[in-house]
Amino acid sequence: MNDATVLTTHQLSKSYGSRPAVKHLDLDVRRGEIFGFLGPNGAGKTTTIRMALGLIRPSSGRVEVLGCDIARQKAEVLPRVGALVESPALYTYMSGRDNLRAFAAVLGGVPARRLDEVLDVVDLRGRQKDRVGSYSMGMKQRLGLAVALLHEPELLVLDEPANGLDPAGIVEMRDLMRRLAASGKTIFVSSHVLGEVQQICDRVAIINLGQLVRVAPVADLIGAHGEFEVKLENPERALQLVREQPWGSGARLQEGTLVTTSPSGRGRDLVQFLAQADCWPDAVSERQHDLEEIFLDLTASNGGVN
Ligand SMILES: Nc1ncnc2c1ncn2[C@@H]1O[C@H](COP(=O)(O)OP(=O)(O)OP(=O)(O)O)[C@@H](O)[C@H]1O
Ligand SMILES: [Mg+2]
């Protein structure tokens, strides 16, 4: 682990009885990034996060957080980490502010002005005096995040923070994560809301059945895959022409758009080919894969959801 790495798992494994939940997982989260941890239900995300926070013991392997071994130096490292695992445990009969005050008292050493700061960050200043029982799901989730932020953690570990939120709440949570990352925090966030991860994360790890399937920058995952989408007046004729070429056998029509590779891999050569055949394209764009498609492809091989 070097300075740029804030969370590393080494061959991390956990079994419940004879059933493995996480298998030989190697991950590294770098300082300042938003790292997405993706997987279908039951993939082992929460189990991994619980081990990373020292809430449960691995069956084998280990976790380093901020340069410390979590199993041995938990008390030292946890004050530098903010966590939101599943739904936050809040006192529903107390106000938002009193909740923060109670958690701050347990943490110790949290100055009173910090309460206002975190309420501002999560945009709950206006509702701080209301009972948490009267909060919407999104507000509770944001208050949970405010609790996690009280002690100014360097690393935030968020397990499905968008869980149970409506579309507006999801947008708010996404904006909030962006702001936190911009303020220099590292965020490790699990999700099965793929669109979310695609929009905010720098890198993602995809796990399925407890095993790492892929880890890559989001841009690489959704980036060009050598195909082009071509809009033209007579797509059927263009399709026929392209299909006759040795490089075009995979060409197809999707909703009236020609999807094909190019003779050389470059878009201009495809345009030239079509133009020479008098099939002038109206528009040509490189096709990008949606993270959802990739995710389904990568996790479908062994049944996906368990
Ligand atoms: N306390 C437990 N006792 C027994 N099995 C467990 C326990 N916690 C989790 N599991 C099992 O471990 C596997 C991984 O569960 P985990 O909760 O880590 O998945 P997840 O990726 O967080 O799923 P979700 O998206 O539904 O939250 C599942 O098969 C689950 O049934
Ligand atoms: Mg979970």
Side-chain angles (χ1 to χ4, degrees):
M1 184 177 220
N2 56 40
D3 268 0
T5 316
V6 292
L7 191 154
T8 318
T9 69
H10 302 273
Q11 291 290 297
L12 189 66
S13 302
K14 176 78 184 177
S15 295
Y16 291 106
S18 60
R19 176 190 274 243
V22 173
K23 298 185 229 172
H24 307 289
L25 192 62
D26 287 320
L27 288 179
D28 69 294
V29 180
R30 299 169 197 156
R31 187 170 294 280
E33 72 178 344
I34 306 186
F35 187 95
F37 191 38
L38 270 180
N41 292 128
K45 303 180 296 290
T46 300
T47 304
T48 302
I49 286 175
R50 287 188 182 283
M51 288 192 278
L53 295 168
L55 299 170
I56 54 170
R57 280 180 176 281
S59 305
S60 62
R62 60 193 177 86
V63 184
E64 267 179 84
V65 179
L66 298 164
C68 300
D69 185 309
I70 196 77
R72 282 183 289 133
Q73 294 160 284
K74 191 164 140 183
E76 221 172 300
V77 71
L78 282 189
R80 297 165 64 196
V81 180
L84 186 60
V85 183
E86 290 175 340
S87 330
L90 299 164
Y91 304 104
T92 51
Y93 57 89
M94 280 171 25
S95 71
R97 189 179 187 87
D98 285 345
N99 264 274
L100 288 176
R101 209 176 270 140
F103 284 103
V106 174
L107 287 164
V110 178
R113 63 169 167 75
R114 185 69 190 147
L115 269 54
D116 294 323
E117 285 171 10
V118 294
L119 282 164
D120 277 340
V121 171
V122 302
D123 208 12
L124 278 177
R125 193 80 172 255
R127 299 290 302 268
Q128 59 174 313
K129 293 194 176 135
D130 296 349
R131 273 178 57 245
V132 167
S134 73
Y135 280 12
S136 71
M137 194 78 142
M139 291 164 71
K140 284 183 195 152
Q141 208 69 343
R142 268 149 51 205
L143 186 62
L145 199 49
V147 171
L149 291 170
L150 272 172
H151 52 300
E152 305 202 45
E154 293 158 57
L155 167 67
L156 277 170
V157 177
L158 310 175
D159 189 17
E160 307 256 7
N163 230 3
L165 303 192
D166 61 16
I170 290 174
V171 173
E172 281 170 28
M173 184 55 77
R174 185 198 306 154
D175 289 347
L176 180 49
M177 279 195 268
R178 280 208 190 102
R179 266 185 283 138
L180 290 167
S183 74
K185 304 221 182 292
T186 306
I187 304 182
F188 179 75
V189 54
S190 83
S191 182
H192 56 246
V193 186
L194 308 165
E196 276 310 299
V197 167
Q198 184 163 339
Q199 288 183 49
I200 59 165
C201 291
D202 302 302
R203 289 193 304 144
V204 293
I206 297 175
I207 64 161
N208 190 35
L209 302 173
Q211 275 176 310
L212 189 64
V213 182
R214 181 89 194 264
V215 48
V218 171
D220 284 7
L221 280 179
I222 63 174
H225 285 245
E227 284 192 320
F228 296 87
E229 291 180 6
V230 187
K231 289 201 173 24
L232 24 63
E233 227 170 66
N234 192 343
E236 287 81 11
R237 190 168 107 74
L239 175 67
Q240 199 182 350
L241 282 169
V242 167
R243 277 247 180 99
E244 287 164 5
Q245 307 306 313
W247 47 267
S249 55
R252 61 209 177 274
L253 291 186
Q254 271 179 8
E255 290 162 22
T257 299
L258 173 68
V259 178
T260 175
T261 47
S262 113
S264 62
R266 290 192 312 180
R268 56 187 290 175
D269 295 317
L270 177 61
V271 172
Q272 192 179 24
F273 169 82
L274 291 167
Q276 276 169 357
D278 215 20
C279 284
W280 291 86
D282 292 320
V284 178
S285 55
E286 249 177 311
R287 192 169 136 79
Q288 301 228 314
H289 278 232
D290 193 72
L291 195 50
E292 185 129 12
E293 277 172 53
I294 297 159
F295 180 79
L296 291 174
D297 275 358
L298 288 173
T299 56
S301 54
N302 39 7
V305 178
N306 70 347

